[in-house]
Amino acid sequence: MKRKGVFLLTLALLVLLTGCWNRRELNDLAIVMGTGIDKIDGEYVISAQIVNPGGVASKEGGGMNQSSVATYSMRASSIFEGIRKMTTVTPRRLYFSHIQVLVLGEQIAKEGAKEVLDLLFRDHEVRPDFYVILAKDATALQILSMIDPLEKIPATKLYKSLETAESAWGSIVSIQLDEFIADLLRDGIEPVLVGVNLKGKVHMGTSGGNSQKESQSSLLRYHEIGVFKGDKLRGWFNEEESIGFSYITDRVDSTVEEIPCDKNNKIVIEIIRSKTTVNGKVEKGKPQVEVSIFAEGNVGEVACSNDLSDPKTIYKLEADVEKQIKGKIVSAIHKAQKQYRSDVFGFGQSIYKNDPKGWEKVKENWDSQFPNLKVKIKTDVKIRRTGKVGNSFIPFMKKE
């Protein structure tokens, strides 16, 4: 009886131990680090940047014999077809589990990106935690092909640059695939994506022998924020408006505000932290929102004779920074309301969270309510430190 019990237990365990039935050897896979999708003349152009482990290792060891990456592209009538057809030119099967960035062409975004996003979100091999960015005034293939002297893999360069820029400059936002789709599905908010463009000549940045001098003429730059309505790109916030968007949505970790102090000079304030609170409600049938921003900063650069030891100077400087931040916010809200009619700030979501019953009254007509929404803005800035030198020595320098 005891032996029979052991036998049955062994059988049950064997059913559970399926083994590596879908095992794939590393030597049979092409690991995709970055993907680009364009639309040209009615056809999709799918790009895949594949890492070459041997090339990366050889460069780390000082060798230059192999390229770190290979970027393949294929034209097709559908994205899925293009990915499959790419196997006709790649020596290995594409493996998408390690994607760091997806670059969407501007034309794709204008026509609607839902098919692209659905394919990648649906694929069981693809994790939805990679960044989605827009190629502005360039193709996704061109963006992926740019070689940087500091990073062996262009997709990694895009990934790291985005995270670095977001933490240091207020006009940059990083959006992952799952976050973008969540904003597509939720009421009272529309998605955004950051744009990347090329500075200089494309052929210089794509050259394998790209020197440091050449790379200065062919740089990738994260610049502006693309405003969506649903899955379609409506237009762009400029740099000032993009910073205003980041303040409203509480995305500012650190940035810089420049305050003129005379005709030719300025004081530069480094914003070291910022906190935004958005409260929305419906009062007498009309929605309204209040945006409150508290920011702290340090004096980073002074090129004029302002006496920083005088508290009045600091108070005025704080007021000037408050006014400047408010101006950027007002510009962003005005463009979103009047030009794009798209609630990328999530004001509708704020009303839903703070006044659910009120939201039910305006929800169905939010697209027509948002352009006329009253938004009250409060800014409070405190300057904490002026630096170790106090007043600037520049005004006291001898004239040439």
Side-chain angles (χ1 to χ4, degrees):
M1 190 69 182
K2 185 177 180 181
R3 288 183 180 179
K4 186 176 180 181
V6 172
F7 177 73
L8 290 174
L9 180 61
T10 304
L11 268 179
L13 290 174
L14 285 173
V15 172
L16 297 174
L17 298 174
T18 56
C20 299
W21 62 274
N22 64 342
R23 178 186 64 188
R24 295 179 186 175
E25 297 294 339
L26 186 61
N27 291 338
D28 298 329
L29 298 177
I31 299 175
V32 180
M33 302 295 287
T35 302
I37 302 178
D38 295 297
K39 199 166 188 181
I40 300 173
D41 299 329
E43 282 193 312
Y44 292 99
V45 179
I46 298 92
S47 310
Q49 187 167 102
I50 300 167
V51 66
N52 176 11
V56 175
S58 67
K59 288 190 178 182
E60 287 178 348
M64 295 293 289
N65 295 326
Q66 299 184 57
S67 174
S68 299
V69 294
T71 303
Y72 296 89
S73 65
M74 180 62 63
R75 293 178 74 114
S77 58
S78 72
I79 300 165
F80 194 78
E81 177 190 348
I83 292 173
R84 286 298 180 91
K85 281 177 69 176
M86 207 175 292
T87 59
T88 62
V89 295
T90 58
R92 302 176 184 178
R93 182 175 176 180
L94 301 180
Y95 186 62
F96 288 89
S97 288
H98 297 283
I99 292 179
Q100 293 183 314
V101 292
L102 167 65
V103 186
L104 295 179
E106 199 169 352
Q107 188 61 37
I108 287 272
K110 287 179 178 178
E111 293 182 10
K114 57 181 180 289
E115 288 87 0
V116 178
L117 303 177
D118 177 79
L119 172 66
L120 293 171
F121 197 66
R122 185 180 301 275
D123 194 327
H124 69 279
E125 283 189 353
V126 180
R127 294 182 302 220
D129 58 353
F130 54 84
Y131 293 127
V132 185
I133 59 180
L134 291 176
K136 189 175 188 293
D137 301 324
T139 66
L141 177 58
Q142 288 173 338
I143 296 296
L144 280 177
S145 300
M146 290 297 104
I147 297 168
D148 189 90
L150 295 180
E151 279 294 339
K152 305 175 187 70
I153 304 170
T156 301
K157 186 263 192 246
L158 287 167
Y159 177 89
K160 290 184 177 180
S161 292
L162 181 55
E163 292 194 330
T164 302
E166 183 181 39
S167 66
W169 189 243
S171 68
I172 309 303
V173 296
S174 61
I175 306 294
Q176 295 182 339
L177 176 63
D178 50 0
E179 183 182 354
F180 186 90
I181 291 176
D183 288 345
L184 277 178
L185 298 177
R186 289 189 296 169
D187 291 326
I189 190 170
E190 300 290 348
V192 299
L193 288 176
V194 72
V196 61
N197 58 16
L198 296 175
K199 176 188 174 184
K201 299 178 181 179
V202 173
H203 73 273
M204 287 186 176
T206 57
S207 169
N210 187 23
S211 68
Q212 186 172 358
K213 182 178 179 181
E214 288 175 331
S215 71
Q216 295 303 309
S217 301
S218 52
L219 292 175
L220 290 175
R221 181 191 180 192
Y222 287 109
H223 188 41
E224 299 174 338
I225 292 174
V227 178
F228 282 74
K229 180 71 174 177
D231 69 320
K232 295 182 179 179
L233 177 67
R234 281 289 181 88
W236 297 88
F237 283 146
N238 64 28
E239 191 167 53
E240 298 293 298
E241 294 157 352
S242 296
I243 295 174
F245 168 85
S246 294
Y247 274 117
I248 295 171
T249 55
D250 200 22
R251 292 176 178 270
V252 175
D253 290 325
S254 178
T255 191
V256 170
E257 298 292 342
E258 296 182 349
I259 306 300
C261 48
D262 56 43
K263 278 188 176 182
N264 302 314
N265 299 306
K266 59 196 174 187
I267 296 178
V268 180
I269 303 299
E270 177 197 14
I271 301 297
I272 56 173
R273 61 183 62 91
S274 174
K275 178 64 180 176
T276 302
T277 304
V278 180
N279 291 308
K281 62 181 179 179
V282 177
E283 197 169 274
K284 296 180 181 180
K286 293 186 177 181
Q288 51 189 273
V289 169
E290 181 177 280
V291 179
S292 300
I293 295 158
F294 175 73
E296 296 178 87
N298 297 329
V299 176
E301 181 181 336
V302 181
C304 44
S305 58
N306 293 45
D307 184 5
L308 297 180
S309 63
D310 186 348
K312 292 181 180 179
T313 302
I314 300 300
Y315 295 150
K316 183 180 185 306
L317 197 53
E318 290 172 343
D320 289 342
V321 177
E322 290 170 358
K323 182 179 179 182
Q324 183 157 292
I325 290 175
K326 185 175 181 179
K328 293 176 180 179
I329 291 171
V330 168
S331 295
I333 292 174
H334 184 267
K335 180 174 277 190
Q337 285 184 315
K338 304 305 180 184
Q339 187 171 339
Y340 301 139
R341 303 175 72 87
S342 177
D343 182 11
V344 291
F345 313 107
F347 289 152
Q349 271 286 305
S350 176
I351 295 173
Y352 166 70
K353 291 176 182 177
N354 293 284
D355 186 5
K357 291 182 180 179
W359 173 247
E360 288 301 319
K361 296 177 183 178
V362 300
K363 174 181 175 181
E364 295 301 321
N365 300 312
W366 185 241
D367 283 348
S368 59
Q369 297 259 22
F370 171 71
N372 301 308
L373 176 69
K374 287 182 63 177
V375 183
K376 187 177 180 180
I377 302 164
K378 293 181 178 179
T379 54
D380 183 14
V381 174
K382 300 298 180 188
I383 295 176
R384 299 303 186 194
R385 298 174 183 84
T386 59
K388 65 180 182 181
V389 296
N391 294 330
S392 176
F393 63 84
I394 294 177
F396 303 102
M397 289 179 61
K398 292 178 289 185
K399 294 182 180 180
E400 294 182 1

